């Protein structure tokens, strides 16, 4: 998800573009697509939260590393437990030193884009569970 434009001083999430793109993404997710986002911009956060609330499949590339005592907040914990959410975070050692938050956010968007670029199909055979 990439929403980083403003139109005539109006925040993106208040534009027709955002409404159309939001509907397209949620519709795709309802059809089985997996949404992948770091959830940085206000628009990305809104769609991430909509997906969580609706139980849609989502990969959240979070900016903070996952430490030994880390635990997501309740909504993401429940979504992980139900199998609709996968939380990914870079290892602290893999995070380059960023000159700004802007550079860090672009890095996270590049990680999300790389995840989306992976194309892999599997055939699952479950025996004895039918």
């Amino acid at each position: 998800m990439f929403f980083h434009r403003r139109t005539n001083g109006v925040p993106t999430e208040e534009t027709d573009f955002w409404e159309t793109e939001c509907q397209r993404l949620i519709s795709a997710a309802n059809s089985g697509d997996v949404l992948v986002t770091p959830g940085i911009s206000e628009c990305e956060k809104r769609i991430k939260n909509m997906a969580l609330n609706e139980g849609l499949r989502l990969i959240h590339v979070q900016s903070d590393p996952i430490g030994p005592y880390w635990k997501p907040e309740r909504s993401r914990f429940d979504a992980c437990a139900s199998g609709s959410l996968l939380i990914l975070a870079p290892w602290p050692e893999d995070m380059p030193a960023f000159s700004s938050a802007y550079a860090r956010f672009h890095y996270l968007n590049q990680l999300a884009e790389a995840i989306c670029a992976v194309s892999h199909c599997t055939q699952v055979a479950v025996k004895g569970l039918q």
Side-chain angles (χ1 to χ4, degrees):
M1 287 185 268
F2 301 102
F3 300 101
H4 301 292
R5 60 167 114 162
R6 286 171 108 41
T7 307
N8 297 329
V10 176
T12 303
E13 63 273 12
E14 296 176 14
T15 64
D16 291 336
F17 169 79
W18 183 80
E19 186 62 37
T20 301
E21 202 58 16
C22 177
Q23 289 174 2
R24 183 185 70 78
L25 289 166
I26 295 299
S27 176
N30 277 318
S31 297
D33 288 356
V34 178
L35 299 176
V36 181
T37 184
I40 298 166
S41 73
E42 184 61 33
C43 296
E44 292 170 346
K45 288 176 189 174
R46 287 182 186 197
I47 292 175
K48 178 187 79 170
N49 290 332
M50 289 170 75
L52 286 171
N53 291 337
E54 295 178 27
L56 301 173
R57 297 185 320 162
L58 173 68
I59 297 174
H60 181 214
V61 182
Q62 73 176 28
S63 61
D64 299 322
I66 295 174
Y69 301 106
W70 179 86
K71 183 177 172 182
E73 69 280 356
R74 182 66 185 228
S75 63
R76 291 195 307 154
F77 182 88
D78 290 343
C80 286
S82 73
S84 64
L85 174 65
L86 173 63
I87 300 171
L88 298 178
W91 294 101
E93 306 83 44
D94 293 334
M95 289 292 281
F98 297 105
S99 58
S100 67
Y102 185 79
R104 181 183 185 125
F105 296 152
H106 275 285
Y107 177 76
L108 294 170
N109 277 328
Q110 289 170 353
L111 288 176
E113 189 174 4
I115 292 166
C116 292
V118 173
S119 176
H120 183 73
C121 296
T122 60
Q123 185 173 3
V124 179
V126 180
K127 297 179 181 176
L129 297 177
Q130 299 160 345

